[in-house]
Amino acid sequence: MESTMGTQTRVAIITGSSRGIGQAIARRLAKDGFSVVVNYAGNAENARATVADIEATGGRAIAVQADVADEVAVAAMFDRAEREFGGIDVVVNSAGLMVLGTIADFNLADLDRMHRTNIRGTFVVTQQAARRVRSGGAILNVSTSAERQALPTYGAYAASKGAVEALNLILARELRGRDITVNTVAPGPVATDLFLDGKDAATVDRIAKLNPMERLGKPDDIAEVVSFLAGPARWINGQVIYANGGMN
């Protein structure tokens, strides 16, 4: 893809990008020529390491701490991106929290924590993105294929991501005339710490075989889809893209 709009370097903010899928997205967009804001909530060491990796390959990046649900901190992060790099072209909502449990027994405190990060956090970041992303840009959310699989114990998590998907086409239509696309990527199971936590080898193997590729996704698989939607895919708008190896 082209890494500039004319002579203007493109700029991306990726939330939750100190590890996992978000980190892979940050590295991929930097490889594509973006200047990257690596957002993190608490893991400053990982965020700095991600920035160092990007800079080691000739890219530009900064690490910015912000709780995605805190509108003041998020506005300050967008301010920082504009000061450092001159503007914002792509925003990827990758920060997320997953807690599993049956609906009947689910801890409501965990539900509130997921709501704060997955729903409020996505909304707060998207609100700033809708105000500030430049013409020709893209706003991208990360959801989950678990919503379509309807797997037991995923109810609360899938519900939080369903709310994220509900914003998708509405925002695309609200941004009519501004040449900004809005899309959501819905990964299947991906081999990240978030997914693997608490699962034994037999469970992981069973889930991996739910798709005809018979493997878990890799963070780079999802980053590749985001790269496409952030760059050349200007005629894809308001869509949910399922990146799951054919699981559903």
Side-chain angles (χ1 to χ4, degrees), residues 11-15 17 26 34-40 51 54 60-65 77-78 80-82 84-85 87-88:
V11 179
I13 295 174
I14 303 99
T15 68
S17 51
F34 283 82
S35 296
V36 172
V37 174
V38 176
N39 162 256
Y40 67 99
V51 169
I54 290 170
R60 297 180 67 200
I62 57 172
V64 180
Q65 192 277 334
M77 176 173 65
F78 276 71
R80 175 86 182 276
E82 290 174 339
E84 293 280 345
F85 298 131
I88 301 158

Side-chain angles (χ1 to χ4, degrees), residues 90-174:
V90 169
V91 174
V92 183
N93 281 298
S94 182
L97 178 64
M98 182 171 67
V99 182
L100 304 183
T102 62
I103 293 169
D105 299 319
F106 204 81
N107 184 315
L108 294 181
D110 288 335
L111 181 68
D112 290 342
R113 288 196 302 122
M114 276 202 296
H115 183 285
R116 177 174 171 80
T117 298
N118 297 359
I119 302 177
R120 178 183 169 89
T122 296
F123 195 97
V124 167
V125 173
T126 298
Q127 186 175 67
Q128 287 294 324
R131 295 170 180 173
R132 305 209 205 188
V133 166
R134 295 185 286 205
S135 177
I139 299 170
L140 298 165
N141 297 319
V142 177
S143 179
T144 177
S145 291
E147 187 182 351
R148 291 180 68 180
Q149 282 291 105
L151 297 170
T153 74
Y154 279 79
Y157 176 67
S160 74
K161 291 299 190 176
V164 169
E165 292 183 17
L167 297 174
N168 200 56
L169 184 55
I170 293 171
L171 181 59
R173 290 174 171 172
E174 289 179 350

